[in-house]
């Protein structure tokens, strides 16, 4: 065995020139283009894996969203403190950015100082390391005479992998390079910095943005070059970032525009993806590192490892007799004795060989000329491999960008920084050449960051500051819509007081509490064919309902919907009722029942004073209606007269009911516990089963038999059972606040909406809570924000000034969680509002604040109603069902949830089930008609 070695030793020594010898020894490190393309393809696959929500957890390359959404546009400005932490130098800086000027025009001024980090802090307690950072910051402020009292915005370059959920929040995933401080992994580094600033004391800093050095480098270079869409570091560590389409970044909501992704490509290969390219030297470097098994790609590339790779190769070659006649020195055996600076010196154009000799001699070696040539060549192979690998990674990124943008060719600039790139004499040239060879279709420019990453970090911070101040102002505007638990309790109490007052007061009261003359929820024995007429919001619905005897489930329904044009809603009463008669005629024609003289129930969704089930005097129009000559008149008579005028068909109108009552009846048919009806639609209202004895304003509780017309059998004769008797009361709760009782929660936007309505001063609660008004409130807020320059770039358009553009359906769509921001933007576009991504976010927030308040107020009102019913019945605990209808409840993504939660919180002793009505209130009106008819027949 020894003989074989000796022979091969002499053979090679005689035969080989030194560079060929090294080439052969290191052939695994010499990568040709096929291999580089292969590596590039693998890296593309890794990027995909890291971006996808499903595979991200298992991905080696983390592809971290940075929350940086745009490269500089020249509008950045301000004065910032900056910390540059994680590269070979730790610096504190002051950066001044003047708006609208590139750096070359002197738009950015920087003043910086490098601080040493004592070695022991790198591996000590994290808090101590950060205290050193903040003490250095304080020292800098002192030294530069910068005010300690003033609040300073702070930009933080932190060059380690962090999972960012916002620009100013990032959890440290793991240390890399030579850092290993304890207790920081998994922590929000921005918070750790803030805590440390507090501990150090005496400074007022607002940490607005934390950025990786790659991102900061891209931004620095982007200030001068709008094509700069990628950042690259080849320094102590290596990494790259680029602008990715947001729709591909699964981990961040939204699909519009771009976001910078920090690839953390140093970890490429940590899952074995590069095993076939890894040499024994790479394995040794890894094994002796701070983080074995981690940052495999980085360890083949970056400044922290290049010198060590060269040393291990030289050592090995010497040990096998290929260098220094087989002699090895202690220095050569010592980790860290060959540095990246040595590698750079050895490869210097003219003095390279001389430098190599000096370096080797300093390692107590006596190199021959051939040894020097060989060692220089080792350096070249190691550093060439590094630049080749970077080129392969970059080629993958640029190819991805090219595909993303659907371009055949791409023009792009890569911002670069890092000691290897800046100080190695051949590195940049080699890198550029290989990248261009791998990507012949791309026009790639490399821009060296001339002033480190802090300028870029300051630019990000400037945008963050502008957004933060915008957010503060938007939050302040929306704060008037935020109701505390105490305020909601107050609303509940006021609603309760309003209900009580309405039951007592014979005269006008804010909450009208109108008796409905419906004494019972259905019992399932109803049968026969009925016509249901339903005048609710903007629609009129005619419906045929057929109840089959004792077959509860077997309800047959046929219906047709007719819109009511605005000019009819707001014309004369006669025109309105003639229009209804015409629609009914059309429906009977359609059903072939014009001659049937059907019994009919009329859902009339406006406040009516009733003295019997089949009469109702309209007290006042609400919602959008204001037809003349109706208020103060019996709506049943008006409909009968219109039918008579039409003279085409006959109807027996047996009942007039409010939509709340119809809804309650309809739901009670399914669930006997349903004793409340709620409408959250164009308008809002509630009815519930109240004890007759409590309806003090009427004569009913005095038990006058003639008033019991419409009650179920026998009750007329049992006046003593009056105490048991209930009647459905239509609260008309929309009027709460008409006496000023809600003035403390009413915002100026609500006042504006009220003033512009057809009934100013009326239905104040309804105007805070129902579909007809929510969109208008939103529009008023948007107008105000736009006038304040916080939205739509301060452009108040005619569209935005148009009342009624936001219908409930748009609010519901905009607030849908499933809807991406791009879709929000397209809805706004449909409405004629040109928004950008930030505008869409704000519009969504405004909608959310307005609809949430509406749901909470309805919840507070509902809590008052259920607690009253519970107390009426002397119960400790009440189980009850609310039948609900209305577009706001049914279509809005969050309204029902917030309503239920608020009701539960404010009426904890009631279990309230909300049951959406299936066929609208028409079925309920038909049921009431069935009972009324039965009474008539008896
Ligand atoms: C500097 C940047 O110029 O480059 C740092 O300001 C960055 O933020 C560094 O980390 C990377 O290079 P190195 O060689 O210092 O690790
Ligand atoms: C319908 C009822 O389903 O809901 C109507 O049948 C009621 O009577 C209406 O007025 C309320 O909802 P919106 O959203 O149309 O006002
Ligand atoms: C390491 C860090 C990374 C940084 C790079 C260059 O790879 O993990 O965040 O960008 O070094 O400094
Ligand atoms: C309005 C009406 C009311 C109706 C409600 C829901 O508030 O005044 O009667 O129930 O709208 O449609």
């Amino acid at each position: 065995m020894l003989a074989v070695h000796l022979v091969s030793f002499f053979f090679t020594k005689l035969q080989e020139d030194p560079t060929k010898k090294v080439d052969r020894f290191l052939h695994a490190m010499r990568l040709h283009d096929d291999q580089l393309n292969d590596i590039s393809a693998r890296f593309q696959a890794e990027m995909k894996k890291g971006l996808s929500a499903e595979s991200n957890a298992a991905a080696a390359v983390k592809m971290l969203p940075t929350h940086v959404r745009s490269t500089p546009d020249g509008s950045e400005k301000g004065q910032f403190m900056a910390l540059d932490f994680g590269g070979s130098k730790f610096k504190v800086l002051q950066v001044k950015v003047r708006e609208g000027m590139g750096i070359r025009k002197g738009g950015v001024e920087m003043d910086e100082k490098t601080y040493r980090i004592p070695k022991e802090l790198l591996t000590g307690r994290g808090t101590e390391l950060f205290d050193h950072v903040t003490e250095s910051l304080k020292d800098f402020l002192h030294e530069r005479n910068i005010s300690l009292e003033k609040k300073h915005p702070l930009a933080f370059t932190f060059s380690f992998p962090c999972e960012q959920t916002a620009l100013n929040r990032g959890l440290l995933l793991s240390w890399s390079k030579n850092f290993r401080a304890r207790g920081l992994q998994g922590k929000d580094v921005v918070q750790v910095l803030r805590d440390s600033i507090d501990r150090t004391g005496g400074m007022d800093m607002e940490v607005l943005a934390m950025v990786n050095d790659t991102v900061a480098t891209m931004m620095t270079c982007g200030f001068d070059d709008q094509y700069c869409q990628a950042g690259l570091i080849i320094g102590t560590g290596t990494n790259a970032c680029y602008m990715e389409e947001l729709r591909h970044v699964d981990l961040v909501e939204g699909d519009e525009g771009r976001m910078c992704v920090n690839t953390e490509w140093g970890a490429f290969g940590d899952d074995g993806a590069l095993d076939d390219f890894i040499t024994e030297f790479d394995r040794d470097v890894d094994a002796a590192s701070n983080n074995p098994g981690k940052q495999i790609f980085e360890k083949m590339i970056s400044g922290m490892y290049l010198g060590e790779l060269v040393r291990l190769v030289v050592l090995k070659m010497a040990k096998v007799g290929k260098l220094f006649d087989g002699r090895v020195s202690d220095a050569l055996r010592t980790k860290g004795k060959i540095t990246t600076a040595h590698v750079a010196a050895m490869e210097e154009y003219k003095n390279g060989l001389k430098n190599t000799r000096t370096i080797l001699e300093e390692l107590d070696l006596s190199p021959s000329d051939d040894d020097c040539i060989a060692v220089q060549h080792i350096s070249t192979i190691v550093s060439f491999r590094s630049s080749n690998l970077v080129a392969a990674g970059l080629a993958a990124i640029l190819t991805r960008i090219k595909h993303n943008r659907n371009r055949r060719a791409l023009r792009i600039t890569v911002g670069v920084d890092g000691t290897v790139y800046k100080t190695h004499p051949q590195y940049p040239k080699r890198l550029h050449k290989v990248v261009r060879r791998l990507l012949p279709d791309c026009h790639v420019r490399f821009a060296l960051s001339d002033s480190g990453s802090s300028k870029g970090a300051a630019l990000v911070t400037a945008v963050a500051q502008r957004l933060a101040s915008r957010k503060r102002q938007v939050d302040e505007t929306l704060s008037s819509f935020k109701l505390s638990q105490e305020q909601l309790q107050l609303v509940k109490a006021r609603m309760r007081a309003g209900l009580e007052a309405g039951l007592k007061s014979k005269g006008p009261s804010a909450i009208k509490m109108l008796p409905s003359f419906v004494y019972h929820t259905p019992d399932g024995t109803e049968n026969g064919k009925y016509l249901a007429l339903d005048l609710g919001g903007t629609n009129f619905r005619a419906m045929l309902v057929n109840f089959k005897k004792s077959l509860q489930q077997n309800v047959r329904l046929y219906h047709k919907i007719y819109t009511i044009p605005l000019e009819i809603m707001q014309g004369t009463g006669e025109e309105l009722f003639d229009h209804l008669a015409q629609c009914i005629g059309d429906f009977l024609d359609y059903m072939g029942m014009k001659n049937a003289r059907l019994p009919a129930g009329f859902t009339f969704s406006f406040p009516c004073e009733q003295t019997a089930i089949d009469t109702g005097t309209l007290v006042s129009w609400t919602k959008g209606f204001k037809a003349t000559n109706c208020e103060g008149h019996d709506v049943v008579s008006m409909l009968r007269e219109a039918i008579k005028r039409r003279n085409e068909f006959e109807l027996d109108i047996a009942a007039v009911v409010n939509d709340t009552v119809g809804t309650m009846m309809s739901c009670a048919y399914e669930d006997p516990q349903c004793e409340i009806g709620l409408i959250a639609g164009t308008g809002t209202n509630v009815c519930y089963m109240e004890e007759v004895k409590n309806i003090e304003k009427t004569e009913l509780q005095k038990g006058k038999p003639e008033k019991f017309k419409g009650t179920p059998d026998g009750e007329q004769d049992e006046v003593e059972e009056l105490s048991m008797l209930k009647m459905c009361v239509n609260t008309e709760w929309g009027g709460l606040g008409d006496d000023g009782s809600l003035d403390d929660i009413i915002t100026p936007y609500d006042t504006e909406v009220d003033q512009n309505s057809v009934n100013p001063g009326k239905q104040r609660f309804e105007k805070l809570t129902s579909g007809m008004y929510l969109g208008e409130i939103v529009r008023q807020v948007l107008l105000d924000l736009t006038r304040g320059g916080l939205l739509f770039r301060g452009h108040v358009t005619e569209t935005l000034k148009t009342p009624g553009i936001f219908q409930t359906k748009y609010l519901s769509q905009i607030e849908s969680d499933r809807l991406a921001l791009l879709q929000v933007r397209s809805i706004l576009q449909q409405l004629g509002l040109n928004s950008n991504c930030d505008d869409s976010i704000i519009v969504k927030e405004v909608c959310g604040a307005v609809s949430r308040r509406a749901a909470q107020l309805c919840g507070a009102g509902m809590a008052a109603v259920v607690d009253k019913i519970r107390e009426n019945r002397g119960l400790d605990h009440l189980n009850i069902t609310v039948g609900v209808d209305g577009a706001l409840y049914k279509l809005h993504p969050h309204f029902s949830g917030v309503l239920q939660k608020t009701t539960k919180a404010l009426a904890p002793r009631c279990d309230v089930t909300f049951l959406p009505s299936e066929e609208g209130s028409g079925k309920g009106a038909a049921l009431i008609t069935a009972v009324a008819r039965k009474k008539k027949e008896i």
Side-chain angles (χ1 to χ4, degrees), residues 522 526 528 530-534 541-547 551-559 601-603 657 659 661-671 885 915-931:
E526 299 77 6
Y530 302 91
L531 187 66
L533 309 169
D534 185 356
R541 194 147 80 139
M543 182 160 39
L544 185 74
V545 192
N546 189 357
F547 300 105
L551 273 176
Q552 272 204 30
Q553 300 310 321
N554 209 350
V555 182
R556 304 281 304 272
L557 296 156
Y558 306 88
H559 78 191
F602 182 24
T603 305
V657 296
D659 51 357
V661 182
T663 300
M664 177 190 81
M665 293 296 279
S666 174
C667 291
Y669 195 64
E670 315 296 330
D671 175 355
D885 210 339
L915 177 64
S917 139
E918 299 266 318
E919 298 95 3
S921 65
K923 188 170 97 182
L927 286 164
I928 294 166
T929 310
V931 175

Side-chain angles (χ1 to χ4, degrees), residues 592-627:
M593 299 184 86
K594 246 200 175 136
N595 302 317
R597 199 176 197 275
L598 288 169
F602 182 24
T603 305
F604 184 72
S605 308
F606 301 92
C608 285
E609 200 76 71
Q610 290 189 256
T611 48
I613 189 72
D614 58 355
T615 62
T617 304
L618 175 63
V619 183
S620 54
W621 282 119
T622 53
K623 301 180 276 193
F625 280 71
K626 57 170 188 192

Side-chain angles (χ1 to χ4, degrees), residues 605-607 622-623 658-660 679 683-685 732 763 766:
S605 308
F606 301 92
T622 53
K623 301 180 276 193
N658 186 263
D659 51 357
T660 52
I679 300 285
T684 183
N685 192 11
E732 289 291 331
Q763 299 291 97
E766 179 158 85

Side-chain angles (χ1 to χ4, degrees), residues 63-319:
M63 304 296 284
L64 301 166
T66 63
H67 297 268
V68 169
R69 290 168 188 266
S70 58
T71 45
D73 65 3
S75 65
E76 300 79 5
K77 62 173 179 194
Q79 190 164 321
F80 308 92
M81 297 309 302
L83 297 170
D84 184 352
F85 181 88
S88 52
K89 288 179 184 161
F90 159 51
K91 292 183 205 161
V92 181
L93 306 95
Q94 188 180 30
V95 186
K96 294 179 191 166
V97 188
R98 275 196 296 276
E99 192 175 7
M101 297 162 90
I103 0 174
R104 297 225 175 84
K105 297 168 208 146
V108 178
E109 268 172 46
M110 292 175 49
D111 179 15
E112 66 176 52
K113 183 175 175 189
T114 300
Y115 285 83
R116 207 179 70 80
I117 301 182
K119 216 166 165 213
E120 61 277 14
L121 288 185
L122 300 179
T123 51
R125 291 222 327 253
T127 45
E128 282 168 17
L129 177 63
F130 269 70
D131 286 353
H132 174 70
V133 168
T134 52
E135 273 151 23
S136 307
L137 172 63
K138 192 167 178 185
D139 175 79
F140 183 84
L141 294 175
H142 269 298
E143 211 180 280
R144 302 295 205 264
N145 258 330
I146 299 170
S147 157
L148 293 172
E149 275 80 51
K150 236 181 88 186
K151 193 182 195 91
H152 297 282
L154 179 86
F156 185 30
T157 306
F158 184 70
S159 307
F160 300 95
C162 289
E163 190 178 292
Q164 288 190 252
T165 46
L167 259 183
N168 60 359
R169 190 179 146 76
L171 310 185
L172 175 64
L173 291 176
S174 56
W175 285 113
S176 50
K177 302 177 280 195
N178 49 343
F179 283 80
R180 214 176 36 178
R182 295 190 304 275
L184 292 188
Q185 216 161 301
K187 296 249 169 76
D188 172 16
V189 189
V190 174
Q191 194 51 47
V192 173
L193 179 64
R194 285 185 189 128
D195 293 346
S196 177
I197 290 171
D198 288 348
R199 262 197 311 278
T200 301
M203 304 175 266
D204 194 359
M205 294 283 156
E206 188 178 14
V207 190
L208 283 168
M210 176 177 77
V211 288
N212 186 261
D213 51 357
T214 52
V215 183
T217 299
M218 178 187 77
M219 296 297 283
T220 299
C221 300
F223 196 55
D224 274 338
D225 180 344
Q226 50 157 328
Y227 292 102
C228 187
Q229 301 272 309
L232 172 65
I233 298 283
I234 315 159
T236 316
T238 183
N239 192 10
C241 72
Y242 71 102
M243 294 305 288
E244 176 59 271
E245 309 303 305
L246 197 50
R247 66 177 186 277
H248 295 154
V249 186
D250 281 8
L251 301 177
V252 177
E253 199 202 341
D255 57 3
E256 194 191 11
R258 296 185 182 139
M259 180 174 283
C260 179
V261 169
N262 165 17
T263 64
E264 285 295 328
W265 77 9
F268 180 27
D270 290 9
D271 56 358
L274 290 174
D275 279 2
D276 46 340
F277 290 100
I278 281 169
T279 65
E280 59 178 297
F281 309 107
D282 298 312
R283 273 191 206 99
D284 288 349
V285 164
D286 178 46
S289 69
N290 265 340
N291 49 354
K294 297 267 153 60
Q295 301 291 99
I296 297 298
F297 194 54
E298 178 160 270
K299 286 171 187 165
M300 297 161 94
I301 293 172
S302 77
M304 189 158 158
Y305 311 97
L306 285 187
E308 192 55 12
L309 278 170
V310 170
R311 185 186 70 84
L312 290 174
V313 176
V314 173
L315 179 64
K316 181 75 190 282
M317 283 187 79
K319 275 186 178 167

Side-chain angles (χ1 to χ4, degrees), residues 35 128 191 209 358 433 476 569 627 631 670 707 871:
Q35 288 171 303
E128 282 168 17
Q191 194 51 47
T358 313
K433 205 167 148 189
E476 209 178 289
M569 273 159 75
E631 291 177 356
E670 315 296 330
K707 297 286 182 194
E871 286 170 30

Side-chain angles (χ1 to χ4, degrees), residues 680-691:
T682 313
T684 183
N685 192 11
V686 152
C687 72
Y688 71 99
M689 297 304 289
E690 178 56 277
E691 321 290 313

